[in-house]
Amino acid sequence: MEDYSQKLLDAYLDGEMTPEMEQEFVSWLRQDRENVRRFVRITHLHRGIRDLLLADKSLTRIRRDEQALWQRKIIGFPLEKIAAVAAMAVLCAAALLALSLTPTQNTGNGSINRENSNESNTVAVNYPVPIKSPQVYADIGVGGKDLYTETEPGELTLGGYCHLRLEPDTRLQVQGEPGREEVFLLHGSLVCEVDRKVGRFTVRTEAGSAEVTGTKFRVQAGDTSEKWRGLLWAGLSRQEKSSAPFTIRRAWMMVGVIEGSVAVASRKTGEVCSLRATEELTLEAEFLPLPQAPGRYAREPSAMKSWSGAPLAEVCTWLSKTFEMKFTCAEELSKLPLHLISLHADARSMTGEIAALVGAEADWENGTCRFSALKQPSPLISDDFRTLANWNALVVPQPQSGKLSVEAFRLEKTDDYAGASLTLDCASLGDASLGAMLKLPLEVPAFSVEYDVLLEKFYVAPGRSASVIFFHPASPDGLKSKREIVFSSFEQIGSLEKPVWLHYRAEVRRLPGGDGKEMFDISEYLGGKLFQRVRIRVETSGFCALLTKRVKARIGGFSVRYLPTEQ
Amino acid sequence: MEKNEKFMRQWIGAQPALAAYINSVVPDFHEAEDLLQNVAVVLLRKFEEFDESRPFLKWAMGVARYEILGKRRSYARSFLLFHSDLVEAVGAEIEEMSGELAEEAAALRHCLKKVEGRNAKVLSLRYEDGLKPRQIAEKIGMEPGAVRVMLSRVRATLHDCVRRRVSALRQS
């Protein structure tokens, strides 16, 4: 019987059971609790073999790549080159102190060399530390704590336990705090090695974030005796696809885990998935436009056939696309296959979806739309402060306007860094336009607002403004400083035969006006090209920007960023 | 601590046991991964209902059990799912054995390194490439029956090795 039960178990594991065997197997399991325990052990072993073999295979590949990278000459941060700026002196002293306290070790081939601190090309830094050297440069200013390499790689140690290697042409910002170090990778790639049980480390990008913690590997490997290293590779790249005269931007982030375990979060969804050693994940579509037409949801139904076998990475990518801030027609949703509706329902329930918003693409006048936004901000991305994708949502009923039934919604987010709160209100404005009012905290000196808009046809009569930015100073004569900027380029777009995605970007800088007043310098880009630059002077201690669109269009990739202040 | 962060910490601890559970009742690797992902989504969604004074694993296993049984029609090849009592029984055992299974997982890494030659090749074809015994047989010119025997023996050997190593580690 023992042999036969083994035969049953083998057939079960290899998917070769006949109906008769299935019945016998069920009976065998019911016979004795010990049989169930044996079954559990063997299936656990079965899965373990697969995990480990796949891990080894993948690890070999990643290590090969890693070694090739490490064999390059490492150029770091010569201390003597640190700029002797008075304002930086204290920070430099802190960096030197931290360096002297940095534990040195030689991890051998393929690792960061920290053996000789006197000749070391690595410097331990506390944040925020502006560092300037021939190989590694620093941009100094508000939001401009950028470190970057040009043609050669460099090393960086944060908090004494996060060892980073910056590949050539990599730019990042050092953020975080002691014990919770983090960087924002603007572009390029990093290899990060994090010492065990010292603190946390997070890499953020526009596409998402990856966080290494010291507990994950211990739990998953079940072996605390080994030296733990969380080693991840993160790369960010943007692609600008020109289809004159328009530019669509794409960004992706790839995370590969070499050792340990990493939590990866999608920027837009806040959803988190865990990557184990040797696993990779690509987050993308941050600037991808929305689906081109109703009926073509986040992914074609045919492509969803692979969903049941999709690896976690694909699922995360799909979720990222699905949860992109967008308007989704109810009609469109109802036409989807049942399994997609179910998936959408699952996804929606994780978000604070707001239904019944401004008109649908298919029926601008009478349609209803749904708006998705996250109910709960993700801890991994809530302090990103570069997007609006992660806000709480609240429906604010509004009066109807003409034929268009409108409910406004309000999205709120508290920023972890600045402690400021941003609010985006969307409401009916005049006759059927959609507005987004962005209230910015007073201390913001420069920011940009951008989004992708799919233009199908004009909603407004020719000659009227299609999109405007209003500035409403908090002065009694606010109307005087109200500024309306017209998208004259829309006429050109209207002549196109096909709907087209257009990227709009407005950069706003707050400058002293010279007479105690303030001035706003506004540069607007359409399709990547500067088409209008204005300067307006206002009496204000605060302002808000009001964006409207008066075209039949969809908006995606809406984001707000703080910009470095020009020195 | 934010909800997602709390969840993530709990999830990482419970994930191996949940994965073991799902892999027991859904033998197909891809389907099991799919179901595990679904369970993660459901757990995250329901996380607000979780009473932090209680063990997360127990709660998660309960939710997972419900989810598994609810989705069983999607995994028709996993016949065990249609025997609710067995799904319950397996879940209960895994809850109880979670610590033991973690030890065994760590030991398996060591034991797997000892598999060499043709055995390693067959394991690779079965587990890395996902081939069935018949396909493996065609690929390496063996009889399907011989491949089945070889797989069975390798697994049995690994199982023995794991048990011995866990036992030795406990004694030391």
Side-chain angles (χ1 to χ4, degrees):
Chain A
M1 186 61 198
E2 177 69 18
D3 283 350
Y4 189 64
S5 62
Q6 186 59 49
K7 188 178 174 185
L8 287 176
L9 281 168
D10 286 328
Y12 180 80
L13 297 181
D14 294 330
E16 294 191 318
M17 276 196 151
T18 62
E20 294 75 27
M21 290 172 91
E22 287 179 5
Q23 285 190 356
E24 288 168 338
F25 187 60
V26 167
S27 302
W28 176 76
L29 281 174
R30 282 180 177 143
Q31 272 174 17
D32 190 345
R33 183 185 170 194
E34 199 48 48
N35 291 349
V36 177
R37 294 175 75 86
R38 184 177 162 199
F39 168 66
V40 166
R41 281 206 181 86
I42 199 74
T43 52
H44 190 242
L45 179 91
H46 177 64
R47 181 69 204 196
I49 294 170
R50 176 176 160 86
D51 284 350
L52 287 170
L53 287 179
L54 286 179
D56 285 347
K57 191 178 181 181
S58 186
L59 187 61
T60 305
R61 182 167 50 81
I62 292 177
R63 281 198 166 136
R64 197 185 308 126
D65 295 346
E66 187 204 8
Q67 281 174 4
L69 293 171
W70 282 110
Q71 281 163 6
R72 297 181 197 169
K73 186 182 176 187
I74 305 293
I75 302 293
F77 311 97
L79 290 177
E80 65 273 15
K81 298 294 184 183
I82 295 176
V85 181
M88 295 160 59
V90 174
L91 295 170
C92 290
L96 287 165
L97 177 63
L99 176 62
S100 68
L101 295 175
T102 302
T104 59
Q105 54 184 305
N106 184 1
T107 51
N109 185 31
S111 296
I112 300 172
N113 175 17
R114 294 182 291 276
E115 192 170 23
N116 188 337
S117 60
N118 290 330
E119 297 177 0
S120 172
N121 48 25
T122 303
V123 62
V125 296
N126 285 329
Y127 84 101
V129 179
I131 296 176
K132 199 172 181 180
S133 77
Q135 292 80 26
V136 181
Y137 300 91
D139 283 344
I140 306 164
V142 176
K145 303 177 290 270
D146 293 11
L147 299 179
Y148 60 96
T149 56
E150 289 191 334
T151 56
E152 294 185 88
E155 284 187 27
L156 179 67
T157 298
L158 300 174
Y161 67 93
C162 306
H163 311 289
L164 278 57
R165 191 172 43 114
L166 285 66
E167 289 301 301
D169 193 25
T170 293
R171 175 179 284 261
L172 58 80
Q173 290 179 358
V174 180
Q175 301 175 340
E177 57 191 50
R180 297 172 66 94
E181 299 293 342
E182 66 179 59
V183 296
F184 192 94
L185 181 62
L186 296 163
H187 65 76
S189 63
L190 299 170
V191 177
C192 317
E193 185 179 359
V194 184
D195 294 341
R196 182 186 170 215
K197 281 187 173 177
V198 182
R200 300 166 67 173
F201 176 65
T202 305
V203 177
R204 299 178 195 281
T205 72
E206 286 181 316
S209 62
E211 178 182 327
V212 179
T213 66
T215 59
K216 296 174 186 173
F217 182 75
R218 188 180 71 239
V219 171
Q220 292 207 333
D223 186 351
T224 57
S225 61
E226 296 177 7
K227 172 176 167 54
W228 182 86
R229 288 194 311 156
L231 198 55
L232 74 88
W233 179 87
L236 177 75
S237 171
R238 291 182 197 161
Q239 178 190 0
E240 291 203 345
K241 185 180 178 184
S242 291
S243 174
F246 312 110
T247 301
I248 296 174
R249 296 182 307 131
R250 299 167 191 265
W252 58 263
M253 174 195 189
M254 181 181 283
V255 180
V257 183
I258 300 169
E259 288 188 42
S261 194
V262 172
V264 180
S266 160
R267 177 185 73 99
K268 291 195 171 178
T269 70
E271 300 314 310
V272 182
C273 61
S274 176
L275 290 189
R276 291 174 290 182
T278 75
E279 290 180 333
E280 293 178 357
L281 173 65
T282 301
L283 299 174
E284 56 183 354
E286 293 305 310
F287 294 91
L288 284 177
L290 295 175
Q292 291 296 315
R296 298 178 61 188
Y297 196 53
R299 191 181 280 198
E300 290 287 347
S302 58
M304 293 305 299
K305 285 178 183 171
S306 61
W307 175 261
S308 65
L312 200 59
E314 281 220 9
V315 175
C316 287
T317 303
W318 185 87
L319 287 172
S320 172
K321 288 178 181 173
T322 305
F323 286 148
E324 189 171 2
M325 282 185 78
K326 64 186 179 185
F327 304 102
T328 305
C329 297
E331 292 86 348
E332 179 186 341
L333 182 62
S334 66
K335 291 174 188 170
L336 293 174
L338 279 178
H339 72 284
L340 280 186
I341 293 177
S342 170
L343 281 173
H344 184 270
D346 282 346
R348 200 174 65 223
S349 63
M350 287 196 296
T351 71
E353 177 151 328
I354 307 300
L357 196 65
V358 181
E361 297 86 352
D363 186 350
W364 177 257
E365 297 294 331
N366 302 309
T368 56
C369 281
R370 293 184 174 181
F371 181 79
S372 294
L374 291 180
K375 186 185 288 179
Q376 297 289 339
S378 158
L380 289 172
I381 62 173
S382 64
D383 50 0
D384 180 328
F385 214 20
R386 287 169 171 79
T387 80
L388 298 177
N390 201 31
W391 291 23
N392 297 321
L394 179 70
V395 176
V396 183
Q398 295 288 305
Q400 291 194 354
S401 174
K403 292 182 180 179
L404 189 67
S405 175
V406 173
E407 278 186 298
F409 62 88
R410 171 173 296 164
L411 302 175
E412 295 177 333
K413 174 185 173 184
T414 301
D415 179 68
D416 291 346
Y417 288 154
S421 180
L422 290 181
T423 303
L424 175 70
D425 287 325
C426 290
S428 167
L429 295 173
D431 51 352
S433 62
L434 176 69
M437 186 165 65
L438 179 73
K439 296 174 182 172
L440 289 162
L442 301 181
E443 64 271 25
V444 177
F447 67 96
S448 71
V449 179
E450 55 187 282
Y451 55 82
D452 295 309
V453 56
L454 176 66
L455 297 168
E456 295 184 48
K457 64 178 183 182
F458 289 114
Y459 181 74
V460 295
R464 289 188 61 187
S465 60
S467 182
V468 296
I469 291 184
F470 293 138
F471 287 91
H472 289 277
S475 58
D477 58 344
L479 285 177
K480 286 184 180 176
S481 56
K482 174 181 167 184
R483 173 72 185 184
E484 180 171 321
I485 299 170
V486 180
F487 271 159
S488 55
S489 304
F490 276 16
E491 287 182 13
Q492 181 187 348
I493 295 161
S495 66
L496 296 176
E497 289 180 7
K498 294 179 181 177
V500 53
W501 280 98
L502 177 72
H503 187 75
Y504 169 74
R505 172 181 172 87
E507 291 186 356
V508 183
R509 294 181 190 276
R510 188 173 175 177
L511 306 171
D515 52 1
K517 297 181 179 178
E518 286 184 308
M519 185 163 63
F520 294 120
D521 181 39
I522 306 158
S523 301
E524 290 187 284
Y525 297 84
L526 209 54
K529 294 179 182 174
L530 179 72
F531 78 94
Q532 188 158 225
R533 183 173 185 180
V534 294
R535 287 192 167 190
I536 55 174
R537 188 172 295 185
V538 293
E539 294 183 49
T540 178
S541 58
F543 63 89
C544 67
L546 188 65
L547 302 171
T548 73
K549 68 179 178 65
R550 291 178 181 171
V551 290
K552 181 176 179 180
R554 289 189 290 177
I555 284 182
F558 197 110
S559 65
V560 175
R561 302 155 177 271
Y562 282 176
L563 299 175
T565 306
E566 288 178 346
Q567 298 299 298
Chain B
M1 204 185 294
E2 298 288 351
K3 173 194 162 193
N4 279 8
E5 187 175 355
K6 280 183 181 176
F7 173 78
M8 199 61 205
R9 291 179 184 283
Q10 299 279 15
W11 168 254
I12 288 164
Q15 191 262 358
L18 289 165
Y21 184 25
I22 289 169
N23 281 295
S24 292
V25 293
V26 180
D28 181 272
F29 294 127
H30 296 300
E31 287 186 350
E33 282 163 7
D34 183 30
L35 188 52
L36 181 63
Q37 175 64 16
N38 281 344
V39 167
V41 170
V42 172
L43 285 172
L44 177 60
R45 208 166 62 208
K46 292 179 179 283
F47 189 57
E48 282 172 354
E49 300 167 15
F50 170 58
D51 177 359
E52 290 183 40
S53 64
R54 299 183 59 212
F56 178 80
L57 179 59
K58 194 171 183 60
W59 175 77
M61 289 289 284
V63 174
R65 208 166 297 160
Y66 184 78
E67 182 67 15
I68 287 169
L69 291 173
K71 293 278 172 66
R72 57 187 166 189
R73 294 200 183 281
S74 307
Y75 305 96
R77 283 183 297 171
S78 305
F79 64 94
L80 275 187
L81 296 181
F82 294 90
H83 300 276
S84 307
D85 60 323
L86 289 178
V87 174
E88 295 274 345
V90 169
E93 292 301 336
I94 285 178
E95 256 183 77
E96 199 175 309
M97 296 165 69
S98 60
E100 207 176 315
L101 293 177
E103 288 178 327
E104 290 180 4
L108 178 61
R109 182 187 292 272
H110 168 83
C111 294
L112 203 54
K113 288 177 185 164
K114 295 182 178 176
V115 182
E116 293 173 337
R118 208 167 200 192
N119 286 340
K121 177 70 178 171
V122 169
L123 270 193
S124 167
L125 291 170
R126 173 70 187 96
Y127 288 96
E128 286 179 34
D129 299 343
L131 301 183
K132 294 288 172 61
R134 188 177 300 277
Q135 296 167 305
I136 297 171
E138 284 173 11
K139 193 142 188 162
I140 60 176
M142 285 176 70
E143 287 298 318
V147 171
R148 289 188 189 101
V149 169
M150 188 181 276
L151 275 171
S152 179
R153 283 183 183 159
V154 174
R155 284 195 286 245
T157 305
L158 284 171
H159 189 242
D160 290 344
C161 170
V162 164
R163 302 291 290 168
R164 278 201 308 275
R165 185 166 173 82
V166 168
S167 174
L169 285 174
R170 281 180 187 164
Q171 285 172 6
S172 66

